[in-house]
Amino acid sequence: PHSIEVDRGVLRTYLENFWQKEFPGKVRHFDLVIRSDETLEISVYLEKMDRNEHKVFLEKSETGLAKLLSKVFDYNRKFYVTLNL
């Protein structure tokens, strides 16, 4: 495994663009934590949606972000997405 330096602002922009494209208007904001072991923790604050939409949001986010992080940032480690309703 190798370590890479990524500007937090650049990473935030990619995440914002991903959700704007996949779920327009559904994300109020999100917090991004990069832990010392380089694990990402992303807490997403959502607009009101029904329970079934939460599941779809989480599944598409986890799958889509894994592809995005791998392709753009060569990041293939664990990351966590939590929803705040």
Side-chain angles (χ1 to χ4, degrees):
H2 59 280
S3 181
I4 57 170
E5 286 290 320
V6 175
D7 181 79
R8 182 184 303 270
V10 171
L11 182 53
R12 284 190 66 84
T13 299
Y14 273 92
L15 296 175
E16 287 168 2
N17 290 340
F18 170 81
W19 282 310
Q20 191 58 39
K21 179 178 169 233
E22 296 295 326
F23 300 97
K26 296 293 185 183
V27 175
R28 279 188 283 146
H29 71 277
F30 64 92
D31 295 325
L32 172 64
V33 174
I34 304 172
R35 296 192 338 205
S36 59
D37 65 356
E38 297 184 0
T39 301
L40 300 180
E41 294 179 1
I42 307 162
S43 297
V44 184
Y45 295 81
L46 297 174
E47 295 294 346
K48 199 164 182 69
M49 57 173 78
D50 67 38
R51 192 169 292 200
N52 188 47
E53 286 180 294
H54 295 155
K55 185 177 179 193
V56 170
F57 180 92
L58 192 56
E59 289 171 355
K60 279 184 86 172
S61 290
E62 288 175 342
T63 303
L65 290 176
K67 290 178 186 172
L68 173 79
L69 292 169
S70 178
K71 181 179 173 186
V72 175
F73 297 103
D74 195 27
Y75 181 90
N76 297 296
R77 295 174 180 236
K78 286 190 297 189
F79 65 93
Y80 300 96
V81 178
T82 55
L83 305 184
N84 297 281
L85 314 174

